[in-house]
């Protein structure tokens, strides 16, 4: 019995050693442009692959020398094939594209990589296409197409606000709506509104700055200004929505985690004919006074099964900022989960 157990352990160790045996592959990029895109300036993109895939990379001209386990080298090859296909579509490869391909591969969804780039939402003021950046955004885009009200719930950096504004601009350009209305609750986060200078609009404008930034990036500052003057685009605090019915409009509520239950109900019931409504928020960043329930959390639970309302949940893998941001969010989520578990004991 002892000898049998020993032989079994020995075989397992031999198998483990074989599976970890290193192998090498040499991949030649199809063009200098592709090599530059994949490798990055002075090989700046290579550490992204090395950190995420546990491979060691070196370059020689257009050649990429890949060292790692057989599994890691094969995965690297599949990702490079997807990036090559992207390049063939005349789409310039950015570091974020590489990160997205790696994340999809880790989730066994690499086959969705190219399909994401076929969904062009609109173009910015320089004529550059705006597309979904990951699976979460793709689901979000589809949900808005299929529903009149959509909740986008997830951490900062997932592109919820920018993508919602891009879809609103696209709908306006196609003549599907007559105006865009963007709103946020003016919740005090460390500052007292009463001590800020100016009238109410001037006091809340800093809270609405991310919405302005998204519009400037898509439409340009001058065109955005003209549309604001004509009131084709309206940016206002949530309190301005009370008593209105919003027909033929694309309406976006940002930072919805800072609404009360009453405010959320008030906002949702403003929906008029020919309108779309998006509710975005991050339930981990609530600035409401202690004891006040978030309208986003309540709305999510209350409206989850209502036909015509879409619910899209983003997570840290959908973050489109620096890859370290995704790791930071994951670390905080893990810490919060551990804290809750300890409190329950």
């Amino acid at each position: 019995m002892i000898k049998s157990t020993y032989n079994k352990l020995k075989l397992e160790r031999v198998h483990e050693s074989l599976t970890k045996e290193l192998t090498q592959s040499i991949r030649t990029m199809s063009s200098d442009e592709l090599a530059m895109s994949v490798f990055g300036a002075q090989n700046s993109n290579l550490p992204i692959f090395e950190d995420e895939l546990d491979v060691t990379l070196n370059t020689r001209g257009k050649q990429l020398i890949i060292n790692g386990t057989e599994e890691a080298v094969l995965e690297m090859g599949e990702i490079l094939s997807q990036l090559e296909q992207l390049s063939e579509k005349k789409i310039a490869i950015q570091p974020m594209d590489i990160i997205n391909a790696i994340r999809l591969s880790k989730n066994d969804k690499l086959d969705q990589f190219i399909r994401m780039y076929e969904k062009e939402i609109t173009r910015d003021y320089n004529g550059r296409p705006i597309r979904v950046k990951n699976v979460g955004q793709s689901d979000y885009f589809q949900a808005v197409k299929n529903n009149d009200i959509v909740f986008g719930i997830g951490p900062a950096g997932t592109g919820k606000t920018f993508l919602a504004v891009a879809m609103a601009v696209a709908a306006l350009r196609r003549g599907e709506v007559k105006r865009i209305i963007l709103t946020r609750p003016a919740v005090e986060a460390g500052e007292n509104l009463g001590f800020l200078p100016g009238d109410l609009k001037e006091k809340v404008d800093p809270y609405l700055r991310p919405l302005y930034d998204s519009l400037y990036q898509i439409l340009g500052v001058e065109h955005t200004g003209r549309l604001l003057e004509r009131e084709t685009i309206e940016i206002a605090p949530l309190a301005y929505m009370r008593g209105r019915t919003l027909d033929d409009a694309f309406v976006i509520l940002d930072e919805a985690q800072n609404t009360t239950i009453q405010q959320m109900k008030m906002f949702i019931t403003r929906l008029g004919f020919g309108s779309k409504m998006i509710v975005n928020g991050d339930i981990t960043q609530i600035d409401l006074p202690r004891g006040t329930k978030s309208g986003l959390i309540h709305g999510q639970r209350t409206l989850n099964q209502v036909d015509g309302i879409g619910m899209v949940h983003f997570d840290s893998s959908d973050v489109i900022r620096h890859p370290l941001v995704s790791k930071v969010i994951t670390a905080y989520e893990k810490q919060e989960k551990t804290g809750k578990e300890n409190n329950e004991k």
Side-chain angles (χ1 to χ4, degrees):
M1 179 69 178
I2 294 172
K3 187 175 180 181
S4 174
T5 303
Y6 171 77
N7 287 336
K8 184 180 178 184
L9 287 170
K10 189 176 178 181
L11 284 170
E12 286 175 351
R13 285 170 184 161
V14 169
H15 176 70
E16 186 179 353
S17 175
L18 287 171
T19 56
K20 288 187 175 181
E21 187 176 343
L22 297 180
T23 186
Q24 184 180 93
S25 174
I26 298 176
R27 183 72 171 252
T28 302
M29 301 294 106
S30 57
S31 67
D32 291 327
E33 290 77 13
L34 178 62
M36 175 59 75
S37 296
V38 173
F39 303 163
Q42 298 181 338
N43 294 340
S44 59
N45 290 340
L46 299 191
I48 299 173
F49 291 107
E50 292 178 326
D51 291 344
E52 298 292 335
L53 300 176
D54 197 21
V55 293
T56 303
L57 305 174
N58 291 287
T59 62
R60 188 187 299 128
K62 291 192 296 184
Q63 289 186 332
L64 183 64
I65 304 162
I66 310 165
N67 289 285
T69 63
E70 185 177 357
E71 182 181 0
V73 170
L74 285 172
E75 185 176 14
M76 180 76 189
E78 290 171 357
I79 291 169
L80 289 173
S81 294
Q82 292 292 314
L83 294 172
E84 255 183 324
Q85 289 183 50
L86 192 63
S87 179
E88 288 169 2
K89 290 181 174 290
K90 307 300 181 185
I91 297 174
I93 298 169
Q94 304 295 328
M96 195 64 234
D97 301 313
I98 294 171
I99 293 165
N100 284 334
I102 293 171
R103 287 175 180 168
L104 288 172
S105 178
K106 286 182 175 295
N107 291 315
D108 295 322
K109 295 179 179 178
L110 190 57
D111 59 320
Q112 298 184 32
F113 180 70
I114 294 297
R115 290 207 298 272
M116 287 194 315
Y117 292 86
E118 295 168 353
K119 298 175 182 176
E120 182 179 310
I121 299 167
T122 189
R123 289 179 176 262
D124 67 15
Y125 72 102
N126 286 319
R128 292 173 299 205
I130 297 172
R131 299 183 176 92
V132 297
K133 299 284 188 181
N134 50 48
V135 174
Q137 287 197 359
S138 180
D139 293 343
Y140 185 57
F141 174 72
Q142 202 60 41
V144 173
K145 285 182 67 176
N146 297 335
N147 298 277
D148 287 336
I149 299 175
V150 171
F151 282 69
I153 303 168
T158 50
K160 301 184 299 295
T161 300
F162 180 78
L163 194 61
V165 172
M167 288 188 282
V169 169
L172 183 67
R173 285 171 170 170
R174 290 192 298 265
E176 295 172 3
V177 296
K178 294 179 180 176
R179 56 186 173 149
I180 297 172
I181 299 172
L182 310 174
T183 185
R184 293 176 71 163
V187 173
E188 300 175 17
E191 282 188 294
N192 190 313
L193 284 175
F195 290 100
L196 293 174
D199 58 21
L200 179 58
K201 184 179 184 305
E202 290 170 328
K203 288 176 188 288
V204 299
D205 259 1
Y207 294 90
L208 305 171
R209 182 53 51 189
L211 298 172
Y212 284 104
D213 290 343
S214 296
L215 286 169
Y216 293 157
Q217 191 173 343
I218 298 167
L219 292 170
V221 176
E222 291 183 9
H223 192 197
T224 298
R226 288 194 296 271
L227 292 175
L228 286 167
E229 286 175 8
R230 297 176 200 156
E231 297 187 348
T232 303
I233 295 178
E234 178 184 349
I235 303 178
L238 182 59
Y240 283 29
M241 299 299 110
R242 190 174 298 279
R244 303 175 63 180
T245 300
L246 307 174
D247 292 328
D248 299 313
F250 202 115
V251 193
I252 300 169
L253 170 60
D254 204 27
E255 300 292 340
Q257 74 275 6
N258 289 327
T259 61
T260 63
I261 294 173
Q262 292 77 16
Q263 286 174 326
M264 179 61 74
K265 181 182 176 183
M266 179 274 291
F267 176 76
I268 292 292
T269 54
R270 300 308 94 197
L271 182 71
F273 290 103
S275 292
K276 290 271 188 185
M277 189 172 273
I278 293 180
V279 178
N280 285 333
D282 176 4
I283 59 176
T284 68
Q285 295 189 10
I286 297 172
D287 298 316
L288 292 167
R290 188 180 297 274
T292 304
K293 293 182 179 179
S294 168
L296 179 61
I297 294 175
H298 182 268
Q300 175 188 203
R301 293 171 180 166
T302 305
L303 305 173
N304 192 42
Q305 300 300 321
V306 176
D307 190 37
I309 297 180
M311 295 279 175
V312 179
H313 294 268
F314 297 86
D315 58 34
S316 58
S317 68
D318 296 312
V319 172
I320 56 173
R321 294 177 182 168
H322 191 287
L324 192 56
V325 175
S326 179
K327 294 178 181 179
V328 168
I329 292 169
T330 300
Y332 271 104
E333 288 174 347
K334 185 177 179 181
Q335 178 61 37
E336 288 167 7
K337 185 179 179 181
T338 303
K340 287 179 182 178
E341 289 173 351
N342 290 338
N343 291 333
E344 289 171 358
K345 290 179 182 179

